[in-house]
Amino acid sequence: MKARLHVRYQLRPGRDLAERAGALAKVCDENEVDEVVLLLGAEQAYTGHLAGDEEDLWFAAAAESCAVLSAAGLDVSLNPWVTVGHADRGRRDRLGFAPMVSPTGQVAAAQASFACPTWRSWLYAHYGRFARLGFRVLWVEDDFRYHNHAPLDWGGGFEPLMMERLSRLVGEEVSREEAVAAVTRPGTPHPWRELLQRVWRTAQLEVAEGVARAVRENSAGSTQLGLMSSTPAMHSVEGRDWDALFAAFSVSGRATQRPHFAPYSDTPARQLASAVWSLEAQRTLRPAYVASEPEIENWPHTAWSKSDTQTWSEMVTAQLSGADALLLNLHPSAAEHADRFPRVDALLRRSRPALDWLAERRPEQAEPLGVGLPWRPDTAAHVASAGGTWQELVVDPAPAADYLLGYGVPVTSGAAPVQALFGGCADAFGDAELRTMLHGGLLLDGAAAHRLTLRGFAGLLGVRAGSVHGREEPVEPGPYAVERLAGEETGSLSVDVQPALARLEPLPDAEVVTEIRTPQGRLWGAGRTHFVNALGGRVAVLAATAPAELARSDAGQRLLHRSIRFLEGDRPVLPLVHGSPHLVPHAARSGDLIRLCVANGSADPGRVRIDLPVPPGLPVPPDLPVPPDPVRATLLAPLAPPAPATTTETDGHLGLEAELPHRGWAVLEWRPASRRTPVADPTPVS
């Protein structure tokens, strides 16, 4: 089994079109590319929604290119580039579409309302026409959303047509100003918030069903639809129902998603934590019939925007997520001849060994292993706003993931014995759901602990978090500054840049792990607590309301690992990674095989050390980590073939003997000691 690589390429009409398509086919053949995704009238070639002679020109170009590429044995897909439109950028509507309107009344010049019947008719005809050409997938661009439509503030969805729909649900006429005030009102969500989200959701589903119907009828069901999406927390504000939307877009029982996960340009390697979580977060949103084809972003598609090393590391990250194919933006969007970019050929050639090695070893029915990060797609409908802004409705477990992954703790979007609930994510869950979480291991930040205290759960948390104080508030005994182990006078951690801390009042049976102190050393309150509650659950609470923004340190990592082991109780299962800064883990279980992958998010070479829990059935003390035997370790260095690696055992910890290079991945596989079977040596890769 080999990794599937799909190259996105800018389509351009012209007399030498067949020659350019042939050159692209040759490049794909030489570099084992499986599919070409043609971009239609995209980026700088975009003049507005296509119609008339202009659409005819692009249709002819798409047909000729598809024929040449298909004859060369390639699969071909098409990205028509816009639905409602990405941004105005000086363009003007030419087809009479009802424009998008923002919360403050800004009116778009070239972006259409989802409720506009004229735009809907155009879209169905546009997709239906191109569906006749036999593409594998017709992509629906990520402008299929309400947010992020420059120059509109926030986005659209407040057009007169939308307000008419909302008014019918409310039972009285509702103005845009009234709707905005209600939806963003501080405190308990106004009923109109859910109604407006229902309006938006219904409009999108109607359009999705119309596009799918047009594609189905014009391709005889042979062409799939692919949905390019943004971050789930942003779509939550729009009221997106993922199951319903994928069902609406399905053609012949199939659909494809491009989950957003990678930045558009070079970033520090520690942001791999965000990429790992983004892919994992969207995994549980996809039904089984939806394929995952992540896009390795690059704008404006040149080596000056994103290095080959970063591109490689993100390709590996996507492959580890179980991706069915990788969408690659490699050739400059203004390029006309693919064979003029030998650097792209070198990147593809050097990336193949690691990607194929991972594809060949893709675990069957692998389940991610880690701390669970519970989140619901309808979270934005339940969030209690404090300041009445749109941004407050964007509630995401990503900061919790960043905090955990950045300290070497794997995470999962699925159910897990230990879970972490931060901030407004708690608002989405009812009391019964929260009690279920409190039966297991639960890590809370100060903001979530405050919310649960107000809902009457303090007795199960081990603390009362009745108030939250910002750094600027004149609260006695003074501004908070440092966090120290309880009873210790040294080894402090900085908390002075935290936007706010919860004032934790521990119950008698709670263990106070750390204390918050002022610059003068006066006690401000508890910093972290551990508690075993009456349900048998274990709860760890942080006073910090933004743990991901705490200054990172070895001491901070040790404190977090200590809390995770406490929350696991007498059944520890999680591998915890340490040894160097910014080691990012991804763990999964397939049957009795455990795979731990570790990326080096630092620019310096990393030393990988793993604290493994005691495998079940071994007669050893529960606080002694015992590495399994044997362990198969493989080093994936950027743009290099996989190489076997050696592990060592020191003081009960497993270590990788070789240093892990910048953006490199270490892959370790083992079976718990109670079910050990021989593990074959790594297959040599030429």
Side-chain angles (χ1 to χ4, degrees):
M1 182 178 179
K2 299 176 72 67
R4 284 187 59 84
L5 304 184
H6 298 175
V7 169
R8 301 180 79 211
Y9 200 80
Q10 175 72 281
L11 181 64
R12 287 183 177 276
R15 286 193 296 263
D16 62 343
L17 181 61
E19 176 191 340
R20 284 184 275 127
L24 176 59
K26 184 173 182 293
V27 167
C28 291
D29 177 65
E30 292 173 346
N31 293 285
E32 300 180 83
V33 171
D34 304 280
E35 179 169 319
V36 173
V37 182
L38 297 172
L39 298 172
L40 180 72
E43 304 293 359
Q44 64 271 21
Y46 176 58
T47 58
H49 292 86
L50 299 175
D53 292 343
E54 193 173 23
E55 185 186 64
D56 294 342
L57 180 66
W58 285 101
F59 182 82
E64 185 173 0
S65 297
C66 183
V68 172
L69 295 168
S70 297
L74 291 161
D75 288 333
V76 188
S77 292
L78 183 72
N79 183 345
W81 188 241
V82 294
T83 59
V84 292
H86 285 284
D88 286 348
R89 294 180 186 161
R91 305 178 186 96
R92 296 290 183 270
D93 169 57
R94 304 172 297 183
L95 303 176
F97 298 159
M100 273 194 168
V101 177
S102 80
T104 61
Q106 286 182 295
V107 180
Q111 300 170 84
S113 168
F114 275 100
C116 175
T118 304
W119 168 76
R120 291 184 177 196
S121 296
W122 170 85
L123 187 71
Y124 304 157
H126 189 63
Y127 270 77
R129 183 180 189 186
F130 283 90
R132 299 170 200 156
L133 296 178
F135 295 108
R136 184 185 71 89
V137 175
L138 275 175
W139 286 98
V140 175
E141 257 290 342
D142 63 0
D143 67 333
F144 194 83
R145 63 192 176 205
Y146 291 95
H147 67 278
N148 192 15
H149 289 280
L152 304 185
D153 55 283
W154 189 78
F158 294 90
E159 304 84 48
L161 289 171
M162 289 293 187
M163 292 302 99
E164 289 174 11
R165 289 181 170 221
L166 177 61
S167 296
R168 287 196 293 271
L169 286 180
V170 171
E172 62 182 74
E173 186 173 346
V174 178
S175 68
R176 172 182 52 77
E177 295 84 355
E178 291 171 327
V180 171
V183 171
T184 60
R185 183 189 70 176
T188 304
H190 192 286
W192 288 4
R193 187 193 296 179
E194 190 279 328
L195 292 180
L196 181 59
Q197 290 179 329
R198 191 189 309 176
V199 166
W200 288 342
R201 177 169 59 248
T202 301
Q204 276 199 339
L205 290 173
E206 290 169 354
V207 174
E209 290 166 354
V211 171
R213 183 169 53 252
V215 170
R216 187 181 304 111
E217 292 172 352
N218 284 277
S219 71
S222 63
T223 296
Q224 298 178 44
L225 279 169
L227 174 64
M228 296 188 167
S229 46
S230 305
T231 58
M234 291 299 300
H235 289 307
S236 179
V237 179
E238 303 171 344
R240 175 167 289 188
D241 182 329
W242 291 89
D243 284 341
L245 190 59
F246 282 127
F249 271 130
S250 66
V251 177
S252 300
R254 297 172 299 159
T256 303
Q257 185 203 14
R258 181 227 62 175
H260 169 77
F261 87 102
Y264 283 80
S265 57
D266 276 332
T267 58
R270 59 180 175 270
Q271 288 199 8
L272 277 172
S274 173
V276 168
W277 168 247
S278 294
L279 291 167
E280 169 59 17
Q282 294 169 89
R283 175 185 64 87
T284 51
L285 299 177
R286 281 191 303 274
Y289 62 84
V290 178
S292 172
E293 299 184 7
E295 181 177 4
I296 316 302
E297 300 279 14
N298 183 345
W299 175 250
H301 301 189
T302 78
W304 290 71
S305 303
K306 183 177 285 190
S307 66
D308 288 356
T309 297
Q310 179 166 330
T311 297
W312 176 91
S313 74
E314 290 167 357
M315 292 165 72
V316 170
T317 303
Q319 196 67 44
L320 284 170
S321 76
D324 297 289
L326 308 183
L327 299 181
L328 306 177
N329 296 319
L330 300 176
H331 296 92
S333 57
E336 304 218 347
H337 289 272
D339 54 359
R340 295 176 183 172
F341 297 90
R343 181 169 181 165
V344 172
D345 294 35
L347 168 62
L348 290 169
R349 184 173 60 255
R350 297 176 68 191
S351 298
R352 261 292 173 190
L355 297 176
D356 287 345
W357 186 87
L358 289 170
E360 290 165 4
R361 289 157 184 80
R362 178 173 175 173
E364 292 297 325
Q365 299 179 330
E367 285 294 328
L369 187 67
V371 172
L373 300 181
W375 183 82
R376 287 174 39 167
D378 66 346
T379 292
H382 303 281
V383 173
S385 172
T389 66
W390 284 100
Q391 190 57 38
E392 285 184 296
L393 304 184
V394 184
V395 175
D396 199 336
D402 182 60
Y403 174 62
L404 293 162
L405 287 169
Y407 268 153
V409 179
V411 299
T412 175
S413 60
V418 174
Q419 301 188 93
L421 194 61
F422 284 13
C425 290
D427 290 344
F429 298 98
D431 287 356
E433 293 169 302
L434 291 172
R435 285 184 68 86
T436 298
M437 294 182 197
L438 288 164
H439 271 86
L442 186 61
L443 175 67
L444 300 170
D445 73 346
H450 175 61
R451 284 167 153 85
L452 267 61
T453 295
L454 296 180
R455 291 173 63 174
F457 286 101
L460 296 175
L461 307 184
V463 297
R464 278 190 52 80
S467 59
V468 175
H469 301 284
R471 169 73 178 177
E472 305 297 329
E473 292 184 39
V475 178
E476 287 296 325
Y480 48 80
V482 296
E483 181 180 9
R484 291 179 183 165
L485 285 171
E488 299 288 337
E489 297 300 323
T490 59
S492 60
L493 306 174
S494 172
V495 294
D496 67 328
V497 295
Q498 275 288 288
L501 292 184
R503 182 64 66 85
L504 304 182
E505 303 171 28
L507 301 184
D509 292 335
E511 177 193 1
V512 177
V513 180
T514 65
E515 299 169 337
I516 304 297
R517 294 189 174 269
T518 69
Q520 295 81 17
R522 299 173 64 191
L523 179 64
W524 191 90
R528 307 176 191 221
T529 62
H530 292 170
F531 181 68
V532 179
N533 62 35
L535 302 175
R538 292 169 172 252
V539 184
V541 179
L542 312 177
T545 59
E549 297 176 20
L550 289 168
R552 301 285 174 132
S553 67
D554 291 343
Q557 183 178 57
R558 287 193 294 270
L559 281 170
L560 176 59
H561 286 198
R562 174 177 168 181
S563 290
I564 298 302
R565 286 290 183 244
F566 164 75
L567 293 171
E568 288 187 296
D570 59 359
R571 299 293 294 175
V573 297
L574 297 180
L576 303 179
V577 179
H578 58 101
S580 292
H582 307 299
L583 295 175
V584 181
H586 178 277
R589 184 194 300 272
S590 179
D592 64 347
L593 178 69
I594 294 175
R595 171 186 279 186
L596 174 66
C597 306
V598 183
N600 181 12
S602 170
D604 296 326
R607 304 294 299 184
V608 178
R609 298 291 179 264
I610 303 162
D611 178 5
L612 288 165
V614 179
L618 285 185
V620 294
D623 59 347
L624 177 62
V626 176
D629 181 29
V631 173
R632 179 173 68 183
T634 304
L635 182 65
L636 304 182
L639 301 165
T646 303
T647 58
T648 58
E649 180 190 344
T650 306
D651 298 328
H653 295 268
L654 187 67
L656 193 70
E657 195 170 74
E659 288 188 321
L660 188 60
H662 172 234
R663 286 193 176 273
W665 282 88
V667 181
L668 299 99
E669 295 175 312
W670 69 87
R671 287 178 168 82
S674 61
R675 299 183 65 183
R676 287 177 188 165
T677 56
V679 180
D681 291 334
T683 303
V685 179
S686 59

